[in-house]
Structures are given as structure tokens and as C-alpha cells.
Amino acid sequence: TGFCTAAGFCVKKIVKISDLTRVIDVTEMTIRRDLKLLEQHNLLTRIHGGAKLSEENDVLPIELSHIEKKQMNLKEKQEIAALAAAEINDGEVIFLGAGTTLELVYSFLTVKHATILTNSIFVFNKFQFDPRFELLLIGGYYRPLTGAFYGSMTNNMLRDIHVDKAFIGVNAIHQNSLYNANADEGIIERLVLENASKTFILADHSKFNQKAFYHFYDLTLADVLLTDSQFSEQFLTDYTDYIEIKRA
């Protein structure tokens, strides 16, 4: 078993820092820092010049397609989308990330005007014909599996953009760590979260106490966690220490 980046670089359990630097288009220092974090979470073991998957993570969760994700936990996603829409006010500049929950936010919005930024073609399609919204699609290389744009051009645009509020979905949350199944998209989400005045993490109850491939952010660095009504009292107790939680 192995893993691949969205750019098509695949390895079999072992990855070189030089290859990651080239494919993801970030500095070697950034790669080394991220590999160190992944090692701390027992997802990999650093070796000379690179890293290998930890034995317990030889088989990482397979990222589902957009169509498959749309069918999962739909009621819970609608609850979270409604919570997100309630946080958006008239005139604000908003970033909505890629993800099937974020695609549902449009249906619950009641604002008269807002500016919407996104790197998701599916989110863009929801808003494109509504005159209430000034819409900016952040382009780049296209990843069909999630409908997201990514890459160095995307990253460079986002470094210069500030938003009032950012809404980001995750593939998994484990204690203080937020995970994405793809490093390219995770880098984008980190950039957005760092450039927003207020940040919201969206995750249904099935994402908790899980891990995915790429740790892109710490839960304590975000402002609010939005989750569904099935989020258990035990989860509430466990995760309130990390972040403010709003549950449907």
C-alpha cells in the first residue's frame, strides 16, 4: 500500500523530502516540519532524507469520491451547514473551502449581500447565478476527486487575501489535530485559516477520534467548531478544552 498527492506523485510506503518539495511546491523546511508533526502523531517514521509510513498506518483510510461523500450523513451535514450560514452577516468577506458540507451552506443563507471566495468548483456552482453575492473562484490545478483547485498559483493568491471569516471542513479530527486526506488541499486550508479574522471548523460526529493522511492545523488555533446534533456528550467533554463548540 502507498499514497499519492493530487499532482500524481505516488510512493510505496516511503517518500523523499526532495520529491515532496518539488510536487507540493513548498520549502524543505516546511516539509521537515510537517513530517515531524506527522511522526509525533504516529502516522510515519522519519528516515534519512524522507519518511516511511508507521507500521500501524500501513493502510490509511481511502479518500472517498465527491459523489460518495455527498450520500453520507446528509442530515448531519445540513445541520452543520445551517449553523455556518447563521454565522455569516451582510457585507462580510467569506471563504468557503471544499467539501460536501460547505456546498450546502448556500441553501441556508439569508444575507442580502456578501463576498464569497472559494477554491471549490462545487461551491462556486451553488452561488454563480445569485446576484446577492460577489464571487471569486481561486483557481489552480484541478483535483476531480474533490472538485478543489490547488497548487502554487492557488497558494500564492491566498497568501495575499484576507477574509472576515473562513469555513473549513476536515477529513478527521484527533485530539488537537485537524487532518485532510490530501497534503495539497491541506496547505491551502492552513493558508486560509492563517489569513482570516475568525475561523470555523466544520465536522460531523463521524470525523472525531479519527486520523487521515495530512495534519494541516491545530484545533486550538481555530475559533469555533461547528458540528451536528449527534455529537455526543463525551465528545463535548473531550473537545471543549480545545475550542468553542456549537452543536446543532
Side-chain angles (χ1 to χ4, degrees):
T1 58
F3 49 85
C4 301
T5 72
F9 172 72
C10 300
V11 296
K12 191 176 178 67
K13 297 186 180 179
I14 295 177
V15 65
K16 295 180 180 179
I17 290 174
S18 58
D19 289 329
L20 286 174
T21 302
R22 172 178 55 82
V23 173
I24 302 176
D25 192 26
V26 296
T27 65
E28 183 174 313
M29 183 173 64
T30 298
I31 294 295
R32 291 185 183 278
R33 180 194 65 195
D34 290 343
L35 291 178
K36 183 178 180 180
L37 287 171
L38 289 169
E39 184 177 48
Q40 290 172 355
H41 292 284
N42 300 317
L43 288 171
L44 54 76
T45 301
R46 286 183 294 165
I47 59 176
H48 180 69
K52 66 178 182 178
L53 282 176
S54 300
E55 290 184 6
E56 64 186 77
N57 290 293
D58 275 354
V59 180
L60 289 170
I62 297 173
E63 187 177 13
L64 300 177
S65 71
H66 177 260
I67 294 176
E68 290 170 319
K69 290 177 182 177
K70 284 186 71 171
Q71 311 306 317
M72 298 177 64
N73 300 324
L74 180 57
K75 177 179 178 294
E76 289 85 349
K77 290 175 181 177
Q78 290 173 331
E79 291 179 343
I80 298 169
L83 289 177
E87 298 288 343
I88 298 173
N89 301 313
D90 281 321
E92 289 184 326
V93 178
I94 303 296
F95 184 91
L96 297 178
T100 52
T101 302
L102 287 153
E103 293 165 30
L104 299 171
V105 171
Y106 171 78
S107 300
F108 296 96
L109 284 172
T110 58
V111 295
K112 296 178 181 179
H113 178 263
T115 299
I116 304 295
L117 286 68
T118 185
N119 68 317
S120 166
I121 191 62
F122 298 120
V123 171
F124 174 85
N125 288 341
K126 293 285 187 178
F127 285 85
Q128 63 174 317
F129 298 118
D130 193 325
R132 293 180 297 164
F133 301 101
E134 186 174 347
L135 188 57
L136 174 60
L137 178 63
I138 309 293
Y141 290 105
Y142 180 63
R143 188 166 184 253
L145 188 65
T146 58
F149 292 93
Y150 72 96
S152 58
M153 290 185 292
T154 316
N155 298 344
N156 289 336
M157 288 183 67
L158 289 172
R159 286 190 182 99
D160 296 327
I161 290 174
H162 177 82
V163 298
D164 295 313
K165 294 172 181 175
F167 296 82
I168 298 295
V170 299
N171 286 94
I173 299 177
H174 189 269
Q175 297 178 351
N176 192 35
S177 298
L178 301 176
Y179 291 94
N180 192 300
N182 178 266
D184 300 301
E185 292 189 35
I187 290 168
I188 289 169
E189 291 167 341
R190 181 191 300 153
L191 283 170
V192 170
L193 290 168
E194 290 174 346
N195 289 343
S197 294
K198 191 168 185 179
T199 55
F200 297 82
I201 304 301
L202 283 63
D204 68 64
H205 67 279
S206 69
K207 304 290 181 64
F208 289 84
N209 291 348
Q210 305 292 325
K211 293 181 181 180
F213 171 62
Y214 188 72
H215 167 238
F216 70 91
Y217 209 64
D218 287 349
L219 191 57
T220 50
L221 297 177
D223 294 308
V224 183
L225 172 67
L226 304 179
T227 190
D228 62 83
S229 59
Q230 300 303 307
F231 189 73
S232 69
E233 291 297 327
Q234 185 59 56
F235 280 167
L236 192 61
T237 300
D238 293 342
Y239 283 92
T240 299
D241 289 341
Y242 298 108
I243 192 171
E244 177 187 352
I245 298 172
K246 293 188 178 182
R247 179 174 57 175

